[in-house]
Amino acid sequence: MSIYKRIINPLFNEKILTIMSVITGVLSAVLNLSRPILFGLIVDSLIVGKHERLVYLIIIYAFSWVFTWSLSILVQYLCSKVSQKILMDLRNKVFAHYLALPFIKVENIKQGKMESIIMSDLPGWTNIYGTVLAQVVHSIAQLIGAVIAMSNVNVYLTIIIIPFLVLSFIIPWFMRKKLQKISYDTQESKANTLEGLTGMIQGIQDLISLSKETWGKKIFKNSTQRIYHNEIKQDILSSYLRISGSISETAAYILILSVGSILIYHGEIAIGELITVLATIELLFYPVRSAGELFGSIQYSIGAASRVWEFLDIPIKTNDTNPTSSFEFENVNFNYSIEKQTLTDITFSVNHGELIVVVGESGSGKSTLLKLIAGLYTPTDGTIRYFNDDIVGKKAVVWQEPFLYNVPLRENLSFNASFNEGEINLKVKELNLDMLINSLPEKYNTIVRNNGGNFSGGQKRRLAILRAILLNPNLLILDEPTGGLDKANKIVINTEISKTENVTRIVSTHDYDIAERADRVIVLANGKIVEMGEPKKLLAVKGAFFKLFFNNKGD
Amino acid sequence: MDYTISKSISFVESDKHLLLLNLKDNRYYSLDELGSMILTMIHTGEKQNRIINEIIAKYEVDYDTAVLDYNNFCKELYRKGLLV
């Protein structure tokens, strides 16, 4: 699909609003055209002394302004409604597309890119349907109307103007690629700045505590400098287009004035006729005058839209995996890139209700394996089979760095599902969270700020575990649930995990505490399963499992 | 008497107990909370008096009981070759 077709496409979903905008725009242009004609008639009436007619014409002239202003407000309202409706729909479409992408693609999207697409690129694109649509409709209607009106007044003078008009349109048309490129670069540099800024804000704690503010300022300055240069280039090109239109208009004006004066001198036309033509030139060149701005806006919109299309063209995931509580991996391989295999030949099975603990050094592939089990990744090779289809797959996951959303704690825990406080309070007690909840100013209704910045790491982890348990899962996946916690909190969490019955639990950990309670342990090293079995049996062979946890390896 | 952990001993601590392995005979031993505390303190090089004081403070027993418990425990481990 060509870019212009793709730009126009959203308008087809807003047919009624678009048609209404076009009609009101045309009406407004017709009213604009009536004024120079009225003005010419007023001058002629004045010259010939028809005073009664003069009064009527002046009243009509005044009303034409009132109608124009009213229509102008209406056009603006309709165009704004079209563009805002398209913007709202596109924002929802972009976010839905983001959620539908394969998780591996989501992980690879640059920091701040989504924010920049939704808050900067999309408004840049849909701006075309508001101000630009109004301007285009108005300009085209006015141009056509002015040509018709002028040719009725004086064909000869109209023909003289046409080459100047053509010239005024040709210049922006030939410059369009260049303007599009500059607009794309400007939008790209703005997006890069936003992306960089988001990253800086997220890493502000490290930046300040490492006293690297100067480095941060330099990076930010470089990116704002790119916007500065691109904006200047864009402004210069736009003003060049504006001036080229203005030169054509002035030349046409001077020529018509000269030729018109000669014609009046020879008695071939009346003064009013020349005034009408001169006043119509103003309207005729209005679209030309705004062509620069118009082209700038359109190309800017295309530049912004191209970035959105690049994102929307990323293929979404083809099938949704719904993990169940019993499954098997058969010769599964997984790699993030061609160069490096992350998991190799993984084969194991899990029965409903088992506690499976995955252990291994950092970087051995534990989290990747958990993401495969959770259905976030799909294997590069091999098969994952899920059983127990009769049990509705309901998984809950707690990642190493759980996220708490900027909504009340109640919503963070329930995602707006029913919230039985009595039932929840029991679990809250078990997870040693009752004191925390009671200390919050509005208990469960307290708004969580800044990804739970007002909670400690341990509290956040326990809240995330609570959230997972409240989902009543039959598959519970926990990625290092006790990492970095004190002994008391470790005991609380490990007890909760081991006593949760009738739920398949997959836990990755560096702690022996939970590993020794497992039904089976999977030991990973360099992306391969090097040992698997009951913890007691694994200890007996004094292999990889033993070496991971015991202080004296006896080597 | 002050003890040190035998070089043939390997152990891991969990929230419930301390698991010991004598690499010489491949036998595992599980220690309760008090045993775990004593062995961990021996491992970190603490002297007898310091360990006994810790037992008194934590379990609210008199000095004689603490010394008796300490000695009985260490002698048993010494006999099994876990302490030297």
Side-chain angles (χ1 to χ4, degrees):
Chain A
M1 206 191 302
S2 81
I3 51 170
Y4 293 102
K5 262 190 186 169
R6 226 172 160 179
I7 278 278
I8 290 168
N9 233 11
L11 286 173
F12 290 109
N13 296 328
E14 302 301 328
K15 281 191 198 87
I16 295 172
L17 274 176
T18 308
I19 291 168
M20 281 170 72
S21 311
V22 171
I23 291 171
T24 44
V26 170
L27 278 175
S28 175
V30 169
L31 275 170
N32 273 352
L33 286 166
S34 69
R35 277 192 302 278
I37 295 167
L38 280 169
F39 201 68
L41 292 173
I42 287 168
V43 172
D44 281 343
S45 300
L46 197 64
I47 291 167
V48 295
K50 289 183 178 171
H51 295 116
E52 202 178 321
R53 189 170 178 247
L54 186 67
V55 172
Y56 285 129
L57 285 171
I58 288 171
I59 291 169
I60 293 170
Y61 184 80
F63 269 107
S64 85
W65 271 114
V66 173
F67 282 128
T68 303
W69 294 327
S70 310
L71 275 174
S72 171
I73 292 168
L74 188 61
V75 170
Q76 206 51 56
Y77 167 72
L78 288 170
C79 289
S80 168
K81 212 167 167 180
V82 171
S83 73
Q84 290 306 319
K85 177 78 175 30
I86 291 172
L87 176 60
M88 184 175 69
D89 291 346
L90 279 171
R91 277 179 169 151
N92 291 329
K93 186 181 172 182
V94 163
F95 187 63
H97 187 78
Y98 177 66
L99 295 179
L101 289 177
F103 187 69
I104 198 158
K105 296 275 183 200
V106 171
E107 280 186 317
N108 285 328
I109 288 173
K110 274 199 289 178
Q111 209 166 34
K113 171 108 181 172
M114 288 310 298
E115 294 90 319
S116 117
I117 287 179
I118 288 179
M119 299 314 293
S120 170
D121 294 331
L122 277 177
W125 168 11
T126 52
N127 174 48
I128 203 169
Y129 308 117
T131 51
V132 177
L133 176 67
Q135 220 176 338
V136 168
V137 168
H138 200 97
S139 301
I140 293 173
Q142 198 158 294
L143 179 73
I144 296 166
V147 170
I148 295 166
M150 261 188 77
S151 56
N152 280 330
V153 176
N154 193 304
V155 178
Y156 177 63
L157 291 178
T158 308
I159 290 168
I160 292 176
I161 293 168
I162 286 171
F164 293 95
L165 272 177
V166 172
L167 189 69
S168 304
F169 279 114
I170 281 175
I171 295 169
W173 179 253
F174 278 110
M175 299 294 281
R176 75 189 189 284
K177 292 272 179 201
K178 198 170 173 62
L179 197 56
Q180 208 170 301
K181 163 95 176 54
I182 291 175
S183 302
Y184 184 91
D185 290 346
T186 308
Q187 198 61 15
E188 183 83 357
S189 53
K190 281 182 191 171
N192 284 339
T193 305
L194 189 61
E195 287 158 17
L197 181 64
T198 310
M200 286 285 175
I201 291 169
Q202 284 185 355
I204 194 72
Q205 186 171 304
D206 286 10
L207 194 73
I208 293 173
S209 48
L210 293 168
S211 303
K212 292 294 173 196
E213 293 92 336
T214 314
W215 173 84
K217 280 192 265 184
K218 195 179 163 195
I219 299 270
F220 189 68
K221 192 179 173 189
N222 285 345
S223 108
T224 53
Q225 260 174 354
R226 277 191 287 275
I227 300 181
Y228 166 79
H229 290 305
N230 285 327
E231 287 275 18
I232 287 178
K233 273 192 211 166
Q234 193 176 328
D235 285 349
I236 287 175
L237 197 62
S238 297
S239 61
Y240 173 74
L241 290 174
R242 247 193 330 268
I243 288 166
S244 70
S246 181
I247 291 170
S248 302
E249 184 183 355
T250 311
Y253 209 85
I254 291 167
L255 193 66
I256 292 293
L257 195 60
S258 312
V259 174
S261 303
I262 294 166
L263 291 174
I264 289 170
Y265 185 74
H266 288 103
E268 289 180 29
I269 59 167
I271 295 172
E273 206 173 320
L274 179 63
I275 288 171
T276 304
V277 172
L278 287 174
T280 315
I281 289 179
E282 177 84 11
L283 296 177
L284 201 59
F285 274 88
Y286 164 77
V288 178
R289 220 183 308 126
S290 61
E293 286 168 39
L294 218 62
F295 254 77
S297 304
I298 291 170
Q299 302 314 322
Y300 172 81
S301 293
I302 291 173
S306 305
R307 282 176 43 86
V308 181
W309 295 331
E310 272 171 21
F311 171 73
L312 287 175
D313 288 343
I314 302 173
I316 58 168
K317 55 189 166 204
T318 45
N319 57 330
D320 254 336
T321 313
N322 191 14
T324 56
S325 58
S326 65
F327 55 89
E328 70 175 13
F329 276 50
E330 191 184 337
N331 307 116
V332 167
N333 292 328
F334 180 81
N335 49 285
Y336 290 99
S337 60
I338 305 162
E339 299 86 45
K340 192 176 174 279
Q341 184 121 314
T342 310
L343 289 176
T344 309
D345 202 19
I346 304 293
T347 300
F348 68 97
S349 62
V350 174
N351 300 315
H352 176 72
E354 278 189 311
L355 170 59
I356 305 291
V357 170
V358 184
V359 296
E361 302 282 3
S362 295
S364 57
K366 298 191 295 296
S367 293
T368 309
L369 179 62
L370 260 54
K371 283 177 183 168
L372 276 163
I373 295 171
L376 293 185
Y377 293 160
T378 46
T380 314
D381 293 306
T383 315
I384 303 175
R385 287 187 200 89
Y386 295 100
F387 308 119
N388 281 355
D389 286 343
D390 50 325
I391 301 173
V392 178
K394 205 172 169 191
K395 67 164 194 269
V397 188
V398 179
W399 297 111
Q400 274 183 54
E401 297 294 336
F403 198 91
L404 296 178
Y405 299 91
N406 195 21
V407 292
L409 182 60
R410 175 189 295 270
E411 212 170 325
N412 262 295
L413 296 174
S414 66
F415 294 101
N416 261 355
S418 61
F419 192 85
N420 183 338
E421 220 165 282
E423 202 179 299
I424 287 166
N425 281 339
L426 282 175
K427 285 287 165 202
V428 163
K429 255 196 173 152
E430 281 175 14
L431 283 164
N432 202 16
L433 283 164
D434 45 343
M435 271 176 68
L436 170 73
I437 305 279
N438 289 330
S439 71
L440 296 174
E442 292 179 64
K443 309 279 185 295
Y444 291 108
N445 290 325
T446 307
I447 305 265
V448 177
R449 303 261 178 229
N450 195 18
N451 181 21
N454 43 345
F455 298 121
S456 71
Q459 288 169 339
K460 254 173 80 175
R461 198 81 59 87
R462 279 178 290 147
L463 284 169
I465 290 171
L466 173 66
R467 171 167 74 187
I469 289 170
L470 292 177
L471 286 170
N472 285 324
N474 49 35
L475 172 63
L476 180 60
I477 298 166
L478 301 133
D479 191 11
E480 309 233 7
T482 55
L485 297 188
D486 56 41
K487 193 168 179 178
N489 277 318
K490 273 184 188 175
I491 293 172
V492 167
I493 289 174
N494 287 336
T495 309
E496 190 61 38
I497 295 169
S498 54
K499 78 171 196 184
T500 305
E501 287 175 348
N502 206 28
V503 175
T504 303
R505 291 140 295 159
I506 314 286
V507 183
S508 84
T509 186
H510 285 285
D511 287 337
Y512 180 73
D513 314 43
I514 190 70
E516 71 169 354
R517 302 176 198 218
D519 294 309
R520 265 179 306 143
V521 171
I522 294 172
V523 187
L524 285 177
N526 299 319
K528 291 179 184 165
I529 295 179
V530 289
E531 259 180 17
M532 184 163 50
E534 290 174 39
K536 276 185 184 167
K537 287 183 181 169
L538 292 184
L539 281 182
V541 297
K542 285 203 293 165
F545 179 62
F546 167 82
K547 287 181 177 168
L548 265 176
F549 294 106
F550 278 70
N551 66 332
N552 176 3
K553 316 315 190 217
D555 295 330
Chain B
M1 182 184 170
D2 288 321
Y3 295 94
T4 53
I5 292 176
S6 162
K7 282 184 179 166
S8 66
I9 292 303
S10 181
F11 68 88
V12 63
E13 198 182 354
S14 84
D15 52 30
K16 291 192 294 190
H17 60 178
L18 192 81
L19 197 63
L20 285 175
L21 170 69
N22 189 346
L23 294 163
K24 274 187 185 161
D25 56 9
N26 276 342
R27 288 186 71 173
Y28 279 97
Y29 301 88
S30 177
L31 302 185
D32 64 7
E33 195 183 332
L34 173 63
S36 302
M37 189 190 92
I38 295 172
L39 201 92
T40 309
M41 290 185 84
I42 290 172
H43 179 65
T44 53
E46 298 288 356
K47 299 291 177 197
Q48 180 181 331
N49 282 346
R50 175 86 181 80
I51 298 172
I52 286 168
N53 286 338
E54 190 66 26
I55 295 169
I56 293 166
K58 194 164 179 188
Y59 295 95
E60 294 173 352
V61 291
D62 57 53
Y63 179 78
D64 292 340
T65 310
V67 171
L68 190 68
D69 282 351
Y70 172 78
N71 282 333
N72 285 344
F73 174 74
C74 290
K75 275 178 190 163
E76 182 65 18
L77 261 59
Y78 180 80
R79 199 173 58 75
K80 292 181 188 296
L82 304 174
L83 293 178
V84 288

